[in-house]
Amino acid sequence: MTNRTVHLGVYNTFADWETGHTTAHLTQNGFTVKTVGPTTAPVTTMGGVRIQPDLALGDLGPQDSALLILTGAHLWDTGDDLAPFAAKAREFLDAGVPVAAICGATAGLAREGLLDDRAHTSAVSFYLGATGYKGGEHYREADAVTDGALTTAGPTEPVAFAREVFDRLGVYEGEKLDAWYRLFHDSDASAFEILES
């Protein structure tokens, strides 16, 4: 992979905990994570952390990125403020650039029609059903699902979400990917030796 820049959508009420494993291990393995806000004005996460975005959403193109990550936020369910992020996800997917969405971001993608024909997951099926989307038959009861260039996960699965991203970007593979997951998901200390080898 030549492009080693990953873009993380940030917006008010951004769910801090959902991408910590993902971004930390990406940066530890040679990727650069850049934050993308609605504008470059600071945003405040659910945890009260203030983030200054590196760039505005309108300045981001798929050609600039290896992956777009979208997290949950109250704003996904209270109006159309984050609809431009779902539209950007469509632009990425149309260009063949991966998108990873967790929690409320999956509802945004559902409203955008991006889950109508792809296997996916979320918090629960009826959460997405409330969006009126047409992809219910493609819903999977799973921790995380990757279908083509799109990865989805529910809010309680940040480790499974990270695993799918790492697999997609080749951060960890095979036995090391399995060991990483066992260490961080299952607290399997024996997996640490495999990761360090």
Side-chain angles (χ1 to χ4, degrees):
M1 170 172 294
T2 54
N3 194 326
R4 309 272 299 174
T5 302
V6 169
H7 290 88
L8 172 65
V10 294
Y11 20 77
N12 287 323
T13 71
F14 165 92
D16 312 58
W17 63 93
E18 292 176 345
T19 60
H21 288 93
T22 304
T23 56
H25 289 271
L26 286 172
T27 58
Q28 290 172 28
N29 286 280
F31 285 83
T32 299
V33 177
K34 290 191 175 181
T35 54
V36 183
T39 67
T40 55
V43 298
T44 303
T45 71
M46 257 189 231
V49 177
R50 190 175 159 98
I51 297 176
Q52 178 78 51
D54 293 312
L55 70 156
L57 185 64
D59 296 329
L60 174 64
Q63 70 280 0
D64 304 321
S65 190
L67 172 74
L68 175 63
I69 301 172
L70 300 175
T71 72
H74 291 312
L75 291 179
W76 286 112
D77 299 319
T78 58
D80 295 328
D81 290 354
L82 299 184
F85 284 90
K88 185 62 70 172
R90 175 180 293 284
E91 185 182 335
F92 268 59
L93 292 170
D94 286 349
V97 179
V99 172
I102 186 168
C103 188
T106 61
L109 298 190
R111 288 184 196 96
E112 182 67 19
L114 296 175
L115 304 183
D116 288 352
D117 301 308
R118 292 176 172 93
H120 59 276
T121 193
S122 184
V124 288
S125 60
F126 58 82
Y127 170 64
L128 293 184
T131 69
Y133 86 129
K134 299 179 178 79
E137 67 187 88
H138 301 291
Y139 187 88
R140 303 289 180 263
E141 292 290 348
D143 294 344
V145 172
T146 296
D147 185 347
L150 180 63
T151 294
T152 52
T156 60
E157 298 300 334
V159 177
F161 181 73
R163 178 193 60 202
E164 296 297 306
V165 169
F166 300 158
D167 186 39
R168 177 67 195 210
L169 298 181
V171 175
Y172 301 116
E173 297 174 327
E175 186 180 30
K176 280 201 173 185
L177 181 63
D178 178 63
W180 183 89
Y181 185 74
R182 286 189 292 114
L183 179 64
F184 288 95
H185 187 266
D186 304 329
S187 301
D188 181 354
S190 69
F192 184 76
E193 285 183 29
I194 297 170
L195 273 177
E196 292 300 301
S197 63

